[in-house]
């Protein structure tokens, strides 16, 4: 199926190109369809294709040695993934479809050839990579300097209710906004607090099983 | 009683359908005003409270709120 030029025009990699250049770019794109759960990119495998999500949702994640999964990004229509490794080397993360998804892909060698032919693409690539570096620095900042679990613990302690629904209820989105982090980091913190034995999650209830431990994690001195 | 269903703000919903596409419980459907959760008298179909719909929503229209409680009221 031919790729729509307007779709390509909306991709940051190809912004600012005229129609003839976009038409040339479109010839290198191919469509890939995925069903929920399909792994699209394997961590450690050579990166050969840059993907753009046209429809559906894709998660980019890392898996620990003991099988725990950490979602790093959720890729929605219009966004791309596999950017950094396709311009560098091997995949540092995996990616899988969270729903039925339609992707547009372009091979590494074709992207390189296009960059030589249309220098504007090379400039766009620099801008995209700069954005990715910025996102990674923010993630490193969260992981290294911010005790996100501690701040999540403090928020939980401040919102203890009776389960009757009379207290303001929290969402991961709200907690993330309150402590200035990403929603993915809040989910990660919940798992950490569960592993520490301070809480357990029972569907839409967060049960504090060890208040003293939670206070300690929150940095509250008795 | 704490709601057993994700909460949807139809004003914010842009009807993109991403939440429907990822929902493993099949409780989300598209209505005229945007996404809605299928209600029933004894709804427990959203079995996991996985928060994935909240995670994927680009406009913040759908949330999975939870309440914080102490286990058995213990301090």
């Amino acid at each position: 199926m031919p790729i729509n030029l307007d779709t390509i025009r909306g991709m940051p990699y190809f912004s600012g190109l005229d129609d003839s250049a976009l038409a040339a770019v479109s010839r290198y794109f191919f469509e890939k369809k995925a069903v929920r759960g399909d792994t699209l990119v394997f961590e450690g495998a050579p990166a050969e294709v840059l993907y753009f999500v046209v429809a559906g949702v894709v998660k980019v994640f890392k898996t620990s040695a003991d099988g725990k999964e950490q979602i790093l990004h959720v890729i929605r229509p219009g966004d791309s993934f596999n950017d950094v490794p396709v311009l560098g080397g091997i995949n540092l993360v995996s990616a899988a479809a969270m729903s039925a998804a339609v992707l547009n892909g372009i091979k590494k060698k074709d992207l390189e050839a296009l960059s030589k032919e249309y220098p504007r693409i090379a400039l766009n690539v620099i801008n995209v990579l700069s954005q990715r570096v910025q996102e990674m620095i923010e993630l490193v900042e969260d992981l290294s300097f911010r005790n996100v679990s501690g701040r999540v613990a403090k928020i939980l302690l401040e919102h203890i209710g009776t389960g009757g629904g009379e207290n303001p209820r929290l969402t991961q989105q709200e907690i993330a906004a309150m402590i200035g982090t990403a929603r993915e980091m809040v989910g990660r913190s919940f798992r950490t607090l569960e592993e520490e034995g301070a809480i357990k999650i029972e569907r839409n209830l967060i049960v504090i099983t060890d208040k003293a431990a939670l206070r300690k994690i929150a940095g509250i001195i008795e | 009683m704490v709601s057993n269903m994700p909460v949807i703000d139809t004003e914010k919903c842009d009807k993109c359908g991403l939440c429907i596409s990822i929902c493993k419980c099949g409780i989300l459907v598209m209505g005229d005003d945007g996404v809605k959760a299928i209600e029933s008298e004894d709804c427990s179909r959203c079995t996991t409270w996985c928060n994935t719909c909240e995670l994927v929503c680009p406009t913040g229209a759908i949330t999975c709120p939870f309440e914080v409680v102490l286990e058995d009221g213990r301090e």
Side-chain angles (χ1 to χ4, degrees), chain A residues 14-179:
Chain A
F14 307 110
S15 68
L17 294 182
D18 60 29
D19 283 355
S20 65
L22 289 172
V25 169
S26 72
R27 287 195 283 274
Y28 292 97
F29 269 104
F30 62 90
E31 189 178 89
K32 181 183 175 77
K33 291 186 175 172
V35 298
R36 185 209 303 262
D38 276 0
T39 301
L40 304 161
V41 166
F42 288 92
E43 184 177 343
E48 301 295 345
V49 178
L50 170 65
Y51 287 110
F52 296 84
V53 177
V54 177
V57 195
V58 170
K59 64 179 175 182
V60 172
F61 62 99
K62 281 190 85 79
T63 309
S64 67
D66 55 355
K68 273 187 258 176
E69 179 183 297
Q70 172 65 40
I71 296 177
L72 301 176
H73 297 292
V74 173
I75 313 294
R76 302 181 183 87
D79 292 336
S80 57
F81 64 95
N82 222 22
D83 310 74
V84 175
V86 89
L87 296 160
I90 61 164
N91 296 319
L92 302 174
V93 294
S94 300
M98 296 175 79
S99 67
V102 179
L103 312 171
N104 284 344
I106 185 166
K107 289 181 182 170
K108 175 182 182 171
K109 65 179 178 59
D110 294 334
L111 185 63
E112 287 173 351
L114 284 166
S115 298
K116 286 176 186 162
E117 194 173 350
Y118 302 100
R120 176 63 194 246
I121 295 177
L123 187 62
N124 288 342
V125 167
I126 292 169
N127 288 334
V128 171
L129 291 183
S130 170
Q131 179 65 35
R132 296 290 179 265
V133 169
Q134 198 172 317
E135 289 165 6
M136 282 298 125
I137 288 172
E138 285 170 8
L139 186 62
V140 169
E141 189 181 0
D142 260 346
L143 292 170
S144 308
F145 301 121
R146 294 180 180 164
N147 183 351
V148 178
S149 295
R151 285 184 291 154
V152 169
K154 187 165 181 289
I155 295 284
L156 296 181
L157 287 164
E158 289 169 353
H159 289 80
I160 296 172
T162 62
E166 76 283 5
N167 269 42
R169 290 178 293 150
L170 291 171
T171 67
Q172 292 195 21
Q173 200 166 291
E174 287 165 342
I175 293 182
M178 280 188 245
I179 64 175

